[in-house]
Amino acid sequence: MSIRKTLFISLFFAGKVIASDSPDYTVPTIVVKLPLQRLFDTSGQKTMVSPALIRSSGAVTLGQILQSSSSINLIDSTGNGSQAALSLRGFGSNASSNTLLLINGIPISQPDMATPNLNLIPISDIQRIEIIAGSESVLYGDQAVGGLIHINTLNRPPSHSLFSCSTGSYDQKNCYAATYQHYRNLYYKLFANHQFNLNYRKHNRYEQNQIVGALNAITPTYQWRFDLNVNQENLQFPGALTTAEVRANRRQANNDIDFFKDDQVYFQGKYLQNLWQGWRSTVDFARRQMQGHGILSMPFNQSRLTHYIKPEWEGAIKTVQIKTGIELQDDQYHLGSAFGLTENRQQKYSSFGLVNWPLQPLLSLSAGLRGAMQVSQLDTQSDTHFINRAIASTLGMTYKPSAHQQFYLRRAGSYRFPKADENSFTNGDVGSLHPQRGIAYETGSHFQLKQCEIDINFYQLNLRDEIAFDPLQTPQTPFGSNTNLPPTRRTGVSTTLGRNLTDQLHLSAQYHFVNARFDQGIYSGKRIPLVSETILLTNLSYQWHEHWQFYVEARYTGSQYPANDYANIAGRLGGYTLFNANLHYHFKQWDVALRLNNLLGKAYYLYTVYQTNPQQVFFYPAAERNGLLTIQYTLT
């Protein structure tokens, strides 16, 4: 379901509701030279995206960076990437609610169905990105179903300042200035950014102004850190196009009024204290606030407020490693329009524990458990209160015969609680949705050879009561509704090959296959919409001169059915291959990069949706060939 339709339906049904009554295993140093470094630990398959890959690829958005990992599929109906959904392990239109995004250990999931803002994190401030494919609800809680993406920002960089400006296709402009300084054990940074882009389609202008600051103190016994992010955005929505409109002009918009403006203030902190005999405690806390207004066929206003805190303890009793903690989150959500008012408040409480027990030097077991509860209050003319509960467990085994080989086997549980607007827009009573529950089974291996690394992973994810949009229209639900689906299953395999061909030439190839289908019900055996079975990515990085580096990547995304097409009757949208390249020049304090996207000008779509009334497919065209030139000056 498109973002535009999601918000429109939420506006409509607001009125309807009122009217009713463990330590990581580190790959040897040689892998640092590869564009993509992979690690494995008790949490399953993990991919590390390094600053070296970000620099060599010339990526300027988080979406471009993450698509350098074949396990991630991007779903975008806005045209600028800020509200794109990230899909791990075979999720479609509900991907953003089943893939958890974290910044420095703190989730930035939304209380409603909206996707996290990917433009909240300045690219130049990223230290590394961890992509964990697999169910991780024991350690990370709600929404860590298909996996999670953990973004770590710069922590203790050497003192320097930098200035950067970019210009490119569709009148794109991006300028930022940053300074990183330290005095003794005190580190601080300040970052200012401005972005402007008309984007590929008409009426799709995007503008962002951002200020980021951080203060960090580090001593042998404790560490504390505070981050502040102030962000202002203005985005125009071009809307969906019919087949005839796409053939006539794929860059046109279907309206000239839809937009959304918002102001966001994001504050987070961390305090880490070393305790006794190797134990330590960590407290993460955050406050996020968004206020916005816009038009989606009609005026509306929207706000979110989230408070979060997570105390955690970890250490060891003899050889048994232990991690335990509690997690508390309070969400307040508001949506108002001519249709009425939705006020929703949700509190989530959970506690968890994970142990890793080395049975012998080569073999270890891990086990964990999390219990969680969600308390919801939907304020309308008559208040509605309801409580959801969930339990997730994990059990795994790791066998490491040498520093260059590792095998693992695990069973991991997951859960997802219904969102605010999902609860108010169902095919039953308000709050009738059940929590989504899942069990994942996976096994894999990792090999580190002299100039090469190889890993392979097999998995099966079984879901019960998966929460998704049902397009079936009834007199009570004329736009469709959110519902619990019959059991679904995702079975897949992913492989990675990284190879240093020479000291200057590095190659990476990744393959991902997922068979995502309904397991029972009237759609039994049908493919889950908006999921591509096959994704293949190869990239090549060549340091052909001391100052010059060339990077090229090819990504194939397989065919998929449009969103909402559970019966698989609308026909599949064919697969496509994209070629991207970057030429980077570095000399002393100067860096110049020329990034070219979609070199062959492929006409493709990052989102399609099927409407049952009328029976028609609507398209959100993606950009054809485009480029960006970036010049950066670093002062040390």
Side-chain angles (χ1 to χ4, degrees):
M1 187 169 59
S2 69
I3 292 175
R4 182 182 178 190
K5 185 174 181 182
T6 299
L7 285 173
F8 181 82
I9 291 173
S10 300
L11 296 175
F12 178 82
F13 274 88
K16 298 292 285 184
V17 170
I18 291 176
S20 65
D21 296 326
S22 80
D24 294 344
Y25 164 70
T26 305
V27 178
T29 312
I30 189 173
V31 184
V32 175
K33 300 177 66 176
L34 294 171
L36 191 64
Q37 179 180 355
R38 285 186 173 267
L39 302 177
F40 284 92
D41 62 11
T42 55
S43 60
Q45 188 184 33
K46 181 184 291 185
T47 300
M48 300 291 288
V49 182
S50 67
L53 171 62
I54 299 174
R55 286 193 301 270
S56 63
S57 69
V60 293
T61 68
L62 184 59
Q64 289 176 349
I65 295 172
L66 294 175
Q67 283 203 299
S68 294
S69 170
S70 67
S71 59
I72 292 180
N73 197 25
L74 196 69
I75 302 169
D76 185 14
S77 64
T78 63
N80 74 343
S82 67
Q83 298 179 22
L86 304 171
S87 177
L88 276 165
R89 294 198 165 175
F91 287 90
S93 56
N94 60 353
S96 64
S97 298
N98 289 280
T99 303
L100 190 62
L101 185 64
L102 304 101
I103 301 178
N104 296 325
I106 297 178
I108 59 170
S109 55
Q110 308 285 27
D112 59 325
M113 290 185 290
T115 60
N117 187 348
L118 299 186
N119 287 351
L120 194 65
I121 308 102
I123 299 303
S124 63
D125 196 36
I126 294 177
Q127 179 169 297
R128 69 180 184 277
I129 302 174
E130 300 171 276
I131 304 170
I132 301 178
S135 298
E136 297 297 338
S137 284
V138 168
L139 278 182
Y140 297 97
D142 189 21
Q143 296 187 205
V145 180
L148 61 95
I149 299 163
H150 187 190
I151 299 169
N152 295 271
T153 59
L154 291 172
N155 190 17
R156 292 183 289 176
S159 294
H160 70 283
S161 299
L162 57 90
F163 309 89
S164 175
C165 280
S166 304
T167 184
S169 305
Y170 318 126
D171 202 23
Q172 183 175 357
K173 298 178 180 65
N174 180 13
C175 289
Y176 65 83
T179 183
Y180 301 85
Q181 304 295 332
H182 72 90
Y183 175 72
R184 294 183 179 177
N185 67 331
L186 193 63
Y187 298 79
Y188 66 90
K189 67 182 177 185
L190 185 62
F191 182 101
N193 178 43
H194 171 75
Q195 290 189 53
F196 178 86
N197 196 346
L198 290 178
N199 284 307
Y200 173 68
R201 296 179 60 193
K202 305 299 182 182
H203 190 67
N204 196 202
R205 186 182 68 185
Y206 176 78
E207 186 173 4
Q208 179 195 44
N209 295 292
Q210 185 179 48
I211 296 177
V212 177
L215 188 63
N216 186 14
I218 300 174
T219 73
T221 58
Y222 69 86
Q223 174 182 343
W224 56 262
R225 174 172 176 166
F226 300 107
D227 291 82
L228 179 65
N229 190 316
V230 180
N231 191 67
Q232 184 183 65
E233 290 182 307
N234 184 1
L235 171 63
Q236 295 176 333
F237 296 113
L241 300 178
T242 64
T243 302
E245 290 171 333
V246 167
R247 289 172 179 171
N249 180 10
R250 58 183 279 116
R251 297 188 63 179
Q252 67 177 302
N254 72 0
N255 76 92
D256 59 1
I257 62 171
D258 289 353
F259 76 94
F260 186 62
K261 293 182 179 180
D262 67 87
D263 297 291
Q264 299 183 59
V265 178
Y266 177 37
F267 170 78
Q268 76 172 47
K270 177 189 291 286
Y271 180 78
L272 188 151
Q273 176 73 55
N274 291 325
L275 303 175
W276 61 92
Q277 296 179 349
W279 282 79
R280 71 176 187 178
S281 66
T282 305
V283 180
D284 290 305
F285 52 93
R287 184 184 192 272
R288 292 201 321 273
Q289 185 173 21
M290 186 282 290
Q291 291 183 323
H293 69 280
I295 295 176
L296 284 174
S297 300
M298 66 186 65
F300 71 97
N301 58 82
Q302 189 179 46
S303 67
R304 306 182 189 97
L305 177 62
T306 295
H307 292 95
Y308 174 89
I309 185 168
K310 181 182 179 181
E312 187 177 86
W313 300 267
E314 60 180 317
I317 300 177
K318 295 184 179 180
T319 61
V320 179
Q321 301 166 341
I322 302 172
K323 178 180 286 190
T324 185
I326 59 176
E327 192 171 22
L328 310 173
Q329 182 168 325
D330 180 270
D331 293 315
Q332 298 178 42
Y333 173 72
H334 162 91
L335 178 64
S337 72
F339 281 136
L341 179 67
T342 295
E343 296 280 359
N344 187 273
R345 183 168 185 175
Q346 295 181 340
Q347 291 92 31
K348 291 188 287 189
Y349 312 90
S350 62
S351 60
F352 64 93
L354 179 71
V355 298
N356 186 26
W357 182 20
L359 299 179
Q360 52 174 285
L362 305 181
L363 181 66
S364 64
L365 295 179
S366 63
L369 182 70
R370 178 185 285 251
M373 179 174 66
Q374 178 196 52
V375 180
S376 299
Q377 176 182 342
L378 183 62
D379 295 330
T380 59
Q381 288 183 343
S382 59
D383 293 347
T384 303
H385 295 76
F386 44 93
I387 298 176
N388 290 312
R389 295 181 175 85
I391 295 177
S393 62
T394 184
L395 182 64
M397 178 179 66
T398 302
Y399 176 63
K400 188 168 65 174
S402 72
H404 307 294
Q405 302 176 60
Q406 182 163 332
F407 304 88
Y408 66 92
L409 177 68
R410 69 193 297 259
R411 173 195 181 276
S414 64
Y415 68 90
R416 174 169 99 78
F417 288 130
K419 300 292 190 75
D421 42 0
E422 289 174 328
N423 273 322
S424 61
F425 173 39
T426 68
N427 56 3
D429 295 332
V430 172
S432 61
L433 290 176
H434 302 296
Q436 172 184 305
R437 296 175 174 86
I439 297 293
Y441 304 91
E442 62 179 303
T443 183
S445 58
H446 175 85
F447 301 93
Q448 178 66 52
L449 306 177
K450 185 176 181 180
Q451 292 288 335
C452 179
E453 66 166 340
I454 303 171
D455 67 62
I456 185 168
N457 174 271
F458 299 91
Y459 67 88
Q460 179 171 298
L461 172 60
N462 301 327
L463 292 182
R464 180 163 52 94
D465 290 326
E466 180 176 349
I467 303 171
F469 177 74
D470 184 352
L472 181 64
Q473 298 173 347
T474 68
Q476 293 75 29
T477 58
F479 294 104
S481 61
N482 294 295
T483 188
N484 291 117
L485 298 177
T488 55
R489 176 178 298 182
R490 291 150 173 89
T491 305
V493 58
S494 60
T495 62
T496 297
L497 168 67
R499 172 74 177 177
N500 292 324
L501 301 177
T502 68
D503 289 340
Q504 294 79 32
L505 190 61
H506 315 298
L507 172 69
S508 176
Q510 304 167 49
Y511 171 77
H512 180 72
F513 172 83
V514 58
N515 184 16
R517 296 183 182 271
F518 291 93
D519 210 26
Q520 297 180 21
I522 61 173
Y523 303 121
S524 179
K526 301 295 184 180
R527 282 179 54 179
I528 295 175
L530 221 60
V531 175
S532 297
E533 284 188 335
T534 303
I535 298 176
L536 177 63
L537 173 71
T538 61
N539 57 55
L540 187 71
S541 178
Y542 180 42
Q543 187 78 38
W544 59 277
H545 186 272
E546 177 185 1
H547 304 296
W548 291 91
Q549 184 181 39
F550 178 69
Y551 172 92
V552 62
E553 68 180 22
R555 179 186 174 94
Y556 170 76
T557 303
S559 64
Q560 58 182 234
Y561 288 94
N564 299 344
D565 185 19
Y566 291 156
N568 296 172
I569 59 176
R572 288 183 295 175
L573 196 68
Y576 58 90
T577 302
L578 299 179
F579 295 90
N580 307 312
N582 182 61
L583 182 63
H584 181 254
Y585 174 76
H586 173 78
F587 180 73
K588 294 183 178 179
Q589 295 167 296
W590 292 94
D591 287 272
V592 181
L594 177 62
R595 164 92 180 194
L596 298 176
N597 301 307
N598 195 358
L599 288 170
L600 301 184
K602 178 68 177 179
Y604 71 106
Y605 309 91
L606 286 176
Y607 186 72
T608 58
V609 60
Y610 173 68
Q611 302 285 8
T612 56
N613 188 19
Q615 293 185 351
Q616 192 172 7
V617 177
F618 291 85
F619 301 85
Y620 292 81
E624 296 174 271
R625 185 183 299 109
N626 63 92
L628 187 73
L629 176 67
T630 302
I631 300 176
Q632 178 177 297
Y633 178 78
T634 303
L635 179 63
T636 57

